[in-house]
Amino acid sequence: MSRKQFSDLTHTLIPALEEHREQVRHAARGGPRRVAPGTGRKPILTPSDQILVTILYLRKNSLRELLGQLFNTTAMTISRAVRDVRPLMETTGVCLSASTAPFRTPEDIARFSTGQNQDQTDVLIPGKP
């Protein structure tokens, strides 16, 4: 996935992801906000990180535990991110092709990033050439 494709995807999904988060928080509170937007506890993963984690997980590049190590969080946080982002990707029609480079350890990622076993699969984003 190129940087441009990832940028297009994040611009497509972040507003929907933020709206989804606000709906979940509204339900948990049982009503409207009591404080201004932007205050309170911040999410562990940024919206861009959540999208990237979901892409890596869905393409079967990495296990949740490995993604947790890479993003300095837990496998449960990775699972929550995938649970939140995956339906948004499906409703917007984003299609990910399967990867040919599975990662199981940080060394696998290091080997991949040095140019060995490069995987050049594409992502189909609706409305983008």
Side-chain angles (χ1 to χ4, degrees):
M1 172 184 285
S2 69
R3 289 177 190 243
K4 172 94 170 86
Q5 287 174 318
F6 182 71
S7 177
D8 291 344
L9 184 60
T10 57
H11 289 312
T12 301
L13 293 180
I14 286 177
L17 185 59
E18 290 174 349
E19 181 180 330
H20 171 73
R21 184 171 191 266
E22 184 58 32
Q23 290 172 350
V24 169
R25 298 302 307 141
H26 185 276
R29 284 190 302 266
R33 284 182 164 274
R34 295 182 205 132
V35 295
T39 58
R41 184 172 176 252
K42 304 292 184 244
I44 294 170
L45 296 173
T46 66
S48 294
D49 287 345
Q50 291 178 20
I51 294 167
L52 180 58
V53 160
T54 303
I55 290 168
L56 292 172
Y57 181 76
L58 292 177
R59 291 187 67 206
K60 309 222 183 315
N61 282 10
S62 309
L63 302 172
R64 288 184 300 249
E65 293 78 13
L66 176 59
L67 290 171
Q69 288 176 10
L70 294 173
F71 285 87
N72 198 27
T73 189
T74 64
M76 187 161 59
T77 300
I78 300 299
S79 294
R80 282 190 204 119
V82 171
R83 182 193 66 210
D84 291 345
V85 174
R86 185 180 203 167
L88 298 175
M89 292 176 82
E90 290 171 357
T91 59
T92 57
V94 174
C95 299
L96 297 173
S97 57
S99 174
T100 60
F103 302 130
R104 301 286 182 239
T105 65
E107 292 78 27
D108 292 342
I109 294 170
R111 187 172 34 260
F112 182 81
S113 66
T114 61
Q116 301 170 12
N117 301 328
Q118 288 291 336
D119 181 11
Q120 298 296 326
T121 54
D122 290 327
V123 175
L124 176 61
I125 302 171
K128 304 288 179 187

